[in-house]
Amino acid sequence: MRNTAKITTAVLAAGALTLGLSACGSDKDSSSSSDYSGPLVVAASPVPHAEILNFIEKNLAKKAGLDLEVKEFQDYIVPNTATEDGSVDANYFQNQPYLDDFNKKRGTHIVPVVTVHLEPLGLYSHKVKSADALKSGATVAVPNDAVNEARALKLLASNGLITLKDGAGSEATPQDIAKNPKNLKFKEVEAAQTPRSLDDVDAAVINGNYAISSGLKPAEDAFVLESATNNPYGNFLAVKKGNENDPRVKKLAKLLTSPEVKKFIEDKYAGSVIPSFK
């Protein structure tokens, strides 16, 4: 039976509270109390992460002796907080710069296990046919979380639309723009809402998973698209520190980087999602 479930933040919070009351502060990840029985519960964004995990659950997990349960989340926060508090065993949705920022700001202890794929960030529009066609004063929507906003600005800078100040790094904001020849204006919105913003702005920089889930084809529809070469934004399987040796996690890591999964990604996403392993 396909162990896939969608879960709301409210339900998760209630579950976490129940867990906290019953466990009296005893963490699941403690080396003395680790319980690796039962299904491996993984939090994932619906596209492409949950789709990849569901492919594994349906086609590969049973043979590998893995009981896999997938829980889908629409946001970029709860998968990490749920992994931290033990409501789920692992997550699959994020990249290293985002995780570094999240751990620093929220005091969590999430660590990567294995990098699986890259979702190229792209610039899209419903109103113009190319980036060059953006008029002076055009409004561009960008993700409002620190890492993805910086990533969006770097994409625009690498394609000549803006110039960033020297030293602008993984937390760059519009205040770090040195030159803006088109006088572009920036609208900061939640990453998940960037596709919906296309009718309200002149263009939007959209994360690959949200582009795909909204019906866009990054390899075809994006005016400009991130290169996969030396790209630090590969998405990975992650766990709370101390759970890297969970045998279920090791089985999933091996399956996520298998030839079968590589072929699935290449066939299904046609360049819109790129395997990060050989």
Side-chain angles (χ1 to χ4, degrees), residues 146-147 149-155 157-158 162-179 232-233:
V147 171
E149 181 171 50
R151 186 179 173 190
L153 294 174
K154 289 179 181 179
L155 174 68
S158 67
I162 59 173
T163 301
L164 293 173
K165 296 176 182 177
D166 290 342
S170 61
E171 295 186 359
T173 71
Q175 284 66 48
D176 293 300
I177 295 174
K179 296 180 181 179
Y233 296 104

Short mmCIF file of all heavy atoms in Angstrom, two decimals, residues 146-147 149-155 157-158 162-179 232-233:
data_model
loop_
_atom_site.label_atom_id
_atom_site.label_comp_id
_atom_site.label_asym_id
_atom_site.label_seq_id
_atom_site.Cartn_x
_atom_site.Cartn_y
_atom_site.Cartn_z
N ALA A 146 15.94 34.37 3.05
CA ALA A 146 17.26 34.97 2.83
C ALA A 146 18.06 34.28 1.74
O ALA A 146 18.61 34.93 0.84
CB ALA A 146 18.04 34.97 4.14
N VAL A 147 18.14 32.95 1.79
CA VAL A 147 19.00 32.24 0.86
C VAL A 147 18.46 32.29 -0.56
O VAL A 147 19.18 32.57 -1.51
CB VAL A 147 19.19 30.78 1.31
CG1 VAL A 147 19.89 29.96 0.23
CG2 VAL A 147 20.01 30.75 2.59
N GLU A 149 16.36 34.43 -1.86
CA GLU A 149 16.38 35.78 -2.40
C GLU A 149 17.77 36.10 -2.94
O GLU A 149 17.91 36.64 -4.05
CB GLU A 149 15.99 36.81 -1.34
CG GLU A 149 15.97 38.23 -1.89
CD GLU A 149 15.38 39.23 -0.92
OE1 GLU A 149 15.81 39.24 0.25
OE2 GLU A 149 14.51 40.01 -1.34
N ALA A 150 18.79 35.76 -2.18
CA ALA A 150 20.16 35.99 -2.65
C ALA A 150 20.43 35.19 -3.91
O ALA A 150 21.06 35.68 -4.85
CB ALA A 150 21.15 35.61 -1.55
N ARG A 151 19.96 33.98 -3.94
CA ARG A 151 20.13 33.12 -5.11
C ARG A 151 19.45 33.73 -6.33
O ARG A 151 20.00 33.73 -7.44
CB ARG A 151 19.54 31.76 -4.78
CG ARG A 151 19.75 30.68 -5.82
CD ARG A 151 19.11 29.39 -5.33
NE ARG A 151 19.11 28.34 -6.34
CZ ARG A 151 18.46 27.20 -6.22
NH1 ARG A 151 17.73 26.97 -5.13
NH2 ARG A 151 18.52 26.30 -7.19
N ALA A 152 18.26 34.30 -6.13
CA ALA A 152 17.53 34.95 -7.22
C ALA A 152 18.29 36.17 -7.74
O ALA A 152 18.40 36.38 -8.97
CB ALA A 152 16.14 35.36 -6.74
N LEU A 153 18.82 36.96 -6.83
CA LEU A 153 19.56 38.15 -7.25
C LEU A 153 20.84 37.78 -7.98
O LEU A 153 21.23 38.44 -8.96
CB LEU A 153 19.88 39.01 -6.03
CG LEU A 153 18.67 39.63 -5.32
CD1 LEU A 153 19.09 40.34 -4.05
CD2 LEU A 153 17.92 40.59 -6.25
N LYS A 154 21.49 36.70 -7.54
CA LYS A 154 22.69 36.23 -8.24
C LYS A 154 22.35 35.76 -9.66
O LYS A 154 23.13 35.97 -10.60
CB LYS A 154 23.35 35.10 -7.45
CG LYS A 154 24.02 35.56 -6.16
CD LYS A 154 24.62 34.37 -5.42
CE LYS A 154 25.27 34.79 -4.12
NZ LYS A 154 25.83 33.62 -3.39
N LEU A 155 21.19 35.12 -9.81
CA LEU A 155 20.76 34.70 -11.14
C LEU A 155 20.57 35.90 -12.05
O LEU A 155 21.03 35.90 -13.21
CB LEU A 155 19.45 33.91 -11.04
CG LEU A 155 18.81 33.51 -12.38
CD1 LEU A 155 19.66 32.47 -13.10
CD2 LEU A 155 17.39 32.97 -12.14
N ALA A 157 21.94 38.83 -11.69
CA ALA A 157 23.25 39.45 -11.91
C ALA A 157 24.07 38.69 -12.94
O ALA A 157 24.74 39.29 -13.79
CB ALA A 157 24.02 39.54 -10.58
N SER A 158 24.01 37.36 -12.88
CA SER A 158 24.79 36.55 -13.83
C SER A 158 24.29 36.70 -15.25
O SER A 158 25.01 36.37 -16.20
CB SER A 158 24.76 35.08 -13.41
OG SER A 158 23.46 34.54 -13.56
N ILE A 162 21.22 43.05 -13.34
CA ILE A 162 21.67 43.90 -12.24
C ILE A 162 23.14 43.60 -11.98
O ILE A 162 23.69 42.63 -12.50
CB ILE A 162 20.87 43.67 -10.94
CG1 ILE A 162 21.01 42.21 -10.48
CG2 ILE A 162 19.40 44.07 -11.11
CD1 ILE A 162 20.40 41.93 -9.12
N THR A 163 23.77 44.43 -11.16
CA THR A 163 25.12 44.15 -10.68
C THR A 163 25.09 44.23 -9.16
O THR A 163 24.56 45.20 -8.60
CB THR A 163 26.13 45.18 -11.22
OG1 THR A 163 26.14 45.15 -12.64
CG2 THR A 163 27.53 44.88 -10.71
N LEU A 164 25.63 43.21 -8.51
CA LEU A 164 25.67 43.21 -7.05
C LEU A 164 26.98 43.82 -6.54
O LEU A 164 27.99 43.81 -7.23
CB LEU A 164 25.55 41.77 -6.53
CG LEU A 164 24.20 41.08 -6.76
CD1 LEU A 164 24.28 39.62 -6.35
CD2 LEU A 164 23.09 41.79 -5.99
N LYS A 165 26.92 44.35 -5.34
CA LYS A 165 28.11 44.92 -4.72
C LYS A 165 29.14 43.82 -4.47
O LYS A 165 28.78 42.65 -4.28
CB LYS A 165 27.74 45.58 -3.39
CG LYS A 165 26.81 46.76 -3.51
CD LYS A 165 26.42 47.29 -2.13
CE LYS A 165 25.44 48.44 -2.24
NZ LYS A 165 24.99 48.91 -0.90
N ASP A 166 30.40 44.19 -4.49
CA ASP A 166 31.45 43.23 -4.17
C ASP A 166 31.21 42.64 -2.79
O ASP A 166 30.91 43.37 -1.83
CB ASP A 166 32.82 43.91 -4.20
CG ASP A 166 33.25 44.29 -5.61
OD1 ASP A 166 32.67 43.74 -6.57
OD2 ASP A 166 34.15 45.15 -5.74
N GLY A 167 31.33 41.34 -2.69
CA GLY A 167 31.16 40.69 -1.40
C GLY A 167 29.75 40.28 -1.07
O GLY A 167 29.51 39.65 -0.03
N ALA A 168 28.78 40.61 -1.93
CA ALA A 168 27.41 40.20 -1.69
C ALA A 168 27.34 38.68 -1.76
O ALA A 168 27.69 38.07 -2.77
CB ALA A 168 26.47 40.81 -2.73
N GLY A 169 26.94 38.07 -0.66
CA GLY A 169 26.99 36.62 -0.57
C GLY A 169 25.65 35.95 -0.51
O GLY A 169 24.69 36.39 -1.16
N SER A 170 25.55 34.92 0.33
CA SER A 170 24.35 34.09 0.38
C SER A 170 23.20 34.73 1.13
O SER A 170 22.12 34.13 1.26
CB SER A 170 24.67 32.74 1.03
OG SER A 170 25.13 32.91 2.36
N GLU A 171 23.40 35.96 1.63
CA GLU A 171 22.30 36.68 2.27
C GLU A 171 22.06 38.02 1.58
O GLU A 171 21.52 38.96 2.18
CB GLU A 171 22.59 36.88 3.75
CG GLU A 171 22.66 35.57 4.53
CD GLU A 171 22.82 35.76 6.02
OE1 GLU A 171 22.90 36.93 6.46
OE2 GLU A 171 22.85 34.76 6.75
N ALA A 172 22.42 38.12 0.32
CA ALA A 172 22.24 39.37 -0.43
C ALA A 172 20.76 39.74 -0.53
O ALA A 172 19.89 38.87 -0.64
CB ALA A 172 22.83 39.23 -1.83
N THR A 173 20.48 41.03 -0.47
CA THR A 173 19.13 41.56 -0.61
C THR A 173 19.17 42.66 -1.68
O THR A 173 20.27 43.04 -2.16
CB THR A 173 18.63 42.17 0.71
OG1 THR A 173 19.35 43.38 0.97
CG2 THR A 173 18.82 41.19 1.87
N PRO A 174 18.02 43.21 -2.05
CA PRO A 174 18.05 44.32 -3.03
C PRO A 174 18.92 45.49 -2.60
O PRO A 174 19.37 46.26 -3.45
CB PRO A 174 16.56 44.71 -3.12
CG PRO A 174 15.83 43.43 -2.90
CD PRO A 174 16.64 42.73 -1.81
N GLN A 175 19.17 45.62 -1.30
CA GLN A 175 20.05 46.70 -0.83
C GLN A 175 21.50 46.48 -1.25
O GLN A 175 22.33 47.41 -1.17
CB GLN A 175 19.97 46.83 0.70
CG GLN A 175 18.71 47.50 1.21
CD GLN A 175 17.45 46.70 0.94
OE1 GLN A 175 17.43 45.49 1.22
NE2 GLN A 175 16.42 47.34 0.41
N ASP A 176 21.82 45.26 -1.69
CA ASP A 176 23.18 44.94 -2.13
C ASP A 176 23.36 45.11 -3.63
O ASP A 176 24.39 44.71 -4.19
CB ASP A 176 23.53 43.50 -1.74
CG ASP A 176 23.62 43.32 -0.24
OD1 ASP A 176 24.46 44.01 0.38
OD2 ASP A 176 22.84 42.53 0.32
N ILE A 177 22.38 45.70 -4.29
CA ILE A 177 22.49 45.94 -5.74
C ILE A 177 23.31 47.21 -5.98
O ILE A 177 23.00 48.28 -5.45
CB ILE A 177 21.10 46.08 -6.38
CG1 ILE A 177 20.34 44.75 -6.25
CG2 ILE A 177 21.21 46.50 -7.84
CD1 ILE A 177 18.89 44.82 -6.73
N ALA A 178 24.36 47.07 -6.76
CA ALA A 178 25.22 48.22 -7.07
C ALA A 178 24.74 48.97 -8.30
O ALA A 178 24.78 50.20 -8.36
CB ALA A 178 26.66 47.75 -7.26
N LYS A 179 24.31 48.22 -9.32
CA LYS A 179 23.82 48.83 -10.56
C LYS A 179 22.52 48.16 -10.96
O LYS A 179 22.40 46.93 -10.89
CB LYS A 179 24.86 48.68 -11.67
CG LYS A 179 26.17 49.43 -11.41
CD LYS A 179 27.14 49.24 -12.57
CE LYS A 179 28.45 49.95 -12.31
NZ LYS A 179 29.43 49.76 -13.42
N PRO A 232 25.96 25.11 -5.88
CA PRO A 232 25.90 24.66 -4.48
C PRO A 232 24.49 24.36 -3.99
O PRO A 232 24.30 24.05 -2.81
CB PRO A 232 26.48 25.85 -3.72
CG PRO A 232 26.03 27.04 -4.52
CD PRO A 232 26.10 26.58 -5.97
N TYR A 233 23.51 24.46 -4.89
CA TYR A 233 22.13 24.38 -4.44
C TYR A 233 21.46 23.04 -4.70
O TYR A 233 20.25 22.94 -4.84
CB TYR A 233 21.32 25.51 -5.09
CG TYR A 233 21.78 26.88 -4.66
CD1 TYR A 233 22.54 27.68 -5.52
CD2 TYR A 233 21.49 27.37 -3.40
CE1 TYR A 233 22.98 28.93 -5.13
CE2 TYR A 233 21.94 28.62 -3.00
CZ TYR A 233 22.68 29.40 -3.87
OH TYR A 233 23.12 30.63 -3.47
#
